[in-house]
Amino acid sequence: MEDFDQVLELCRALHAESPRYNDKPFSEAKARALLTGILTSWTVPMIGIVAEDDGAIVGMLGGRLAEHALCDEPYATDIGIFVLPAYRGTSAFPRMMKVFEDWAFSQGVREIAPGVSTGIQAEEAVRIYGRLGYTVVSYGMIKKRSDNV
């Protein structure tokens, strides 16, 4: 809880940088509800992880367990991951992923399936995941309406 306001600011920064989200208004109320849910573990196991530099939060990762659509086996996935631009390429992201992986495997999952969905340096994120042992198994697509309705 002591990190709540700093993590909320990272949510705001992620939203502002993301080509997927920055054309939509940021909802602080929704971000607060999401962070509160992660901290209080709604109805499924969740985890919140931060990367710090001298007391300042420079990265965040929210993760949760889910079930596959066609079987009952659980897997772990991210809710969101963000590292401030000045800390990309440092150990912040791999360290947060290691904590997430350790937590996920301790929950009994056999598979961790993070996504790359914000549009922020997507190709670089895929390369980094590859260096951490992940393989590409899916693609996400978006089509926006051409009018402003």
Side-chain angles (χ1 to χ4, degrees):
M1 286 306 288
E2 64 272 8
D3 298 331
F4 194 94
D5 289 336
Q6 287 187 69
V7 173
L8 182 62
E9 287 308 308
L10 286 183
C11 290
R12 191 180 310 279
L14 180 155
H15 186 272
E17 186 178 349
S18 170
R20 181 173 181 192
Y21 301 119
N22 64 15
D23 64 339
K24 301 161 189 62
F26 178 75
S27 171
E28 183 171 317
K30 195 162 192 174
R32 285 182 175 279
L34 175 64
L35 295 177
T36 300
I38 291 170
L39 293 172
T40 58
S41 290
W42 287 337
T43 59
V44 298
M46 295 186 177
I47 186 170
I49 303 162
V50 297
E52 293 183 311
D53 182 20
D54 205 20
I57 307 272
V58 300
M60 63 179 180
L61 185 157
R64 68 183 186 94
L65 297 188
E67 281 188 1
H68 290 281
L70 301 176
C71 73
D72 295 329
E73 184 172 311
Y75 68 98
T77 189
D78 68 292
I79 298 166
I81 303 170
F82 183 73
V83 176
L84 289 173
Y87 290 87
R88 294 176 190 160
T90 70
S91 64
F93 175 75
R95 286 189 349 253
M96 288 192 300
M97 283 302 295
K98 174 71 170 126
V99 172
F100 180 50
E101 290 169 354
D102 289 347
W103 171 81
F105 291 135
S106 79
Q107 299 294 306
V109 303
R110 294 188 305 149
E111 182 178 275
I112 300 170
V116 178
S117 62
T118 62
I120 300 172
Q121 297 183 333
E123 293 83 10
E124 181 60 20
V126 169
R127 279 192 290 277
I128 293 168
Y129 277 122
R131 288 197 298 266
L132 296 177
Y134 291 84
T135 57
V136 175
V137 296
S138 63
Y139 295 93
M141 305 298 150
I142 292 177
K143 181 177 183 178
K144 294 185 179 186
R145 288 174 54 166
S146 59
D147 61 349
N148 290 327
V149 177

